[in-house]
Amino acid sequence: MTDYEGYKSTATDSFRIAVELFNRPFENGRTEGVLILLDHSFEMLLKAAILRRGGEIRADDGSGQTISLEKCVKRCRDGTRDNQRIQFLSKSEAAAIFSLNNLRDYAQHEQVDVREQQLYLQSRQCTDIFEMILTRVFNESLSQYLPDRVLPLSTTVPTDIASVIDQEIDEIQELMDEGATDEARNKLKALDSVERGLADDGDTPDHSELTTKLEAVDDDQDLEDIFPSTFAALTDGVDSGGGVRINLGSDDPGLPAQYVPEDEIDEDDDVYLFTEKNIHGRYPFNPMQFKKQVNSELSEDCDWKGELSLPRLKSILVEMRLWEQEKFHQSELPLGAGDTRPGYSPSCVDSVVEAIEAGEIVVEDAWEANKAKFGY
């Protein structure tokens, strides 16, 4: 057995146990066990990958100790001066592993309250990245180590990270209102781990840093001020990457084409190619912005002004039958590099505000009727 094979074997063993713990039907030690074992599996797999591609995993100080997971991630994301072959992680993949490592740090050394939906999303993303590393570096598949199974039986359905964050913020504020500061801080740690992973910050915050963020959440400050990297990940990065480049009369050696505005195209015109220059302009609101826009446009005398959460807004869209209509909502808008984001149109905002203001929609009735579709 070569050196890297031993690390890879340990990695897949830890990953399989993490999967077993995740699917276990009782909670004692489940969250902590999943996070710790997933974290360990990535450290071992990245060390195996570095060795497989001719890199070094021993520290430079002569101690003989291997490098930390954080340094493994940075080497696999950036490469090293003398070996760029070990560069195979994207920035988003590296951020996901950093988030896992920060969350594991809380679980191992502190008390942390991780919502089931966040644990699922973290684990699901880690599974995809683990599979990618096996394929990209070792030409193997995760199915060689796990049986082919459909989703496990469960009492909830998965939701998206924007809804998870929105619900967590609401619950933290409720706990603060009740004077349960310690419980609120434990919930905040889970969100902070995502923020620090995206910000490339591996340090564990001290008590005062968490308290400052906790007070900001309690004061209902904007998400972009409290968790700027998380907000940027949910809203920014709009890029028209991919597809065929079109030549519109410049020196660009793309396909020759003449640009004609859509409203000038007649029925009898032969159109060989139609492209929307910026589909993001049609759906300018990401989930957090959609929530903020609806709440801001509701009139001052509306009982729900400033109170509508993202999950409740989604239930309203389903009740109004707007969720599946392309005019109002898109689940996956391309961001480039294979990434996507949900998008909501101004018409969607207007329709929801009008329906609530006119009493055509009873928010709580819509919530009760449709919340199960979103895992609540």
Side-chain angles (χ1 to χ4, degrees):
M1 180 182 291
T2 59
D3 209 9
Y4 77 81
E5 287 175 334
Y7 283 98
K8 178 162 67 72
S9 178
T10 302
T12 54
D13 286 346
S14 288
F15 191 86
R16 282 186 287 202
I17 299 173
V19 171
E20 181 182 348
L21 284 176
F22 184 90
N23 293 331
R24 190 169 63 174
F26 56 93
E27 293 300 320
N28 292 358
R30 172 175 169 266
T31 297
E32 294 81 2
V34 169
L35 294 172
I36 290 169
L37 285 163
L38 278 179
D39 193 73
H40 180 252
S41 71
F42 272 102
E43 181 169 341
M44 295 296 102
L45 188 63
L46 291 180
K47 286 176 177 176
I50 291 170
L51 290 172
R52 178 71 176 84
R53 293 200 168 181
E56 180 56 62
I57 63 170
R58 300 288 170 183
D60 297 330
D61 58 9
S63 65
Q65 299 294 319
T66 59
I67 58 177
S68 65
L69 173 59
E70 185 178 352
K71 288 187 177 179
C72 286
V73 173
K74 289 180 178 179
R75 288 189 184 185
C76 295
R77 181 193 63 191
D78 305 326
T80 59
R81 184 178 301 175
D82 58 350
N83 189 345
Q84 285 296 303
R85 291 186 65 244
I86 62 175
Q87 182 183 6
F88 57 84
L89 286 178
S90 69
K91 289 182 179 179
S92 61
E93 290 160 351
I97 301 174
F98 280 138
S99 294
L100 168 67
N101 192 42
N102 288 325
L103 199 53
R104 185 275 316 161
D105 195 49
Y106 282 130
Q108 187 161 339
H109 303 294
E110 298 269 357
Q111 293 290 306
V112 62
D113 184 356
V114 183
R115 177 179 287 273
E116 176 64 21
Q117 296 287 0
Q118 183 178 352
L119 183 66
Y120 166 78
L121 290 169
Q122 191 87 59
S123 302
R124 177 66 260 176
Q125 188 174 32
C126 286
T127 300
D128 292 342
I129 297 172
F130 200 92
E131 164 87 28
M132 177 281 300
I133 297 171
L134 283 175
T135 302
R136 210 175 276 175
V137 180
F138 303 100
N139 197 29
E140 295 180 358
S141 170
L142 191 56
S143 62
Q144 295 173 231
Y145 299 94
L146 293 173
D148 292 326
R149 300 271 176 84
V150 296
L151 287 173
L153 299 175
S154 65
T155 56
T156 61
V157 297
T159 187
D160 59 271
I161 187 62
S163 295
V164 170
I165 292 172
D166 193 60
Q167 195 79 358
E168 287 286 83
I169 293 291
D170 286 346
E171 291 191 8
I172 289 171
Q173 289 173 334
E174 289 176 10
L175 288 168
M176 291 295 287
D177 290 342
E178 296 167 2
T181 306
D182 289 340
E183 290 84 349
R185 184 179 288 106
N186 288 340
K187 275 191 170 294
L188 184 72
K189 291 173 184 175
L191 297 182
D192 186 70
S193 68
V194 176
E195 172 69 14
R196 288 179 178 271
L198 291 168
D200 200 8
D201 183 353
D203 294 334
T204 301
D206 58 29
H207 191 274
S208 63
E209 290 179 274
L210 286 174
T211 299
T212 299
K213 288 187 177 181
L214 201 57
E215 291 171 350
V217 172
D218 191 37
D219 291 340
D220 205 22
Q221 292 184 21
D222 290 340
L223 181 66
E224 57 262 49
D225 296 327
I226 308 170
F227 300 115
S229 296
T230 302
F231 184 80
L234 292 172
T235 61
D236 293 342
V238 175
D239 183 356
S240 59
V244 178
R245 183 165 41 181
I246 304 301
N247 180 2
L248 296 175
S250 68
D251 294 330
D252 183 347
L255 297 175
Q258 178 183 1
Y259 175 70
V260 179
E262 182 180 2
D263 57 5
E264 295 182 16
I265 298 175
D266 296 326
E267 290 183 1
D268 298 331
D269 287 338
D270 291 326
V271 180
Y272 296 100
L273 175 65
F274 179 82
T275 180
E276 186 164 12
K277 292 184 72 178
N278 181 19
I279 193 172
H280 295 275
R282 189 146 53 109
Y283 305 96
F285 303 115
N286 65 69
M288 292 299 182
Q289 292 168 327
F290 173 62
K291 168 195 166 186
K292 186 174 182 179
Q293 192 69 22
V294 171
N295 278 293
S296 68
E297 291 194 15
L298 288 170
S299 62
E300 292 297 332
D301 56 354
C302 177
D303 292 339
W304 285 101
K305 183 173 181 64
E307 300 296 328
L308 281 172
S309 65
L310 186 57
R312 277 177 169 73
L313 281 169
K314 288 182 176 181
S315 72
I316 291 171
L317 294 183
V318 172
E319 188 71 13
M320 295 177 65
R321 299 183 179 176
L322 306 182
W323 184 256
E324 299 297 336
Q325 292 190 46
E326 183 177 316
K327 176 182 177 182
F328 300 100
H329 168 254
Q330 280 280 1
S331 297
E332 295 185 345
L333 296 175
L335 292 174
D339 293 329
T340 61
R341 73 164 177 90
Y344 300 83
S345 69
S347 296
C348 189
V349 173
D350 294 342
S351 298
V352 171
V353 170
E354 289 171 9
I356 295 174
E357 297 275 10
E360 297 170 3
I361 283 289
V362 178
V363 175
E364 283 306 315
D365 288 350
W367 172 245
E368 291 300 326
N370 300 292
K371 65 182 181 180
K373 293 182 176 65
F374 301 103
Y376 297 97

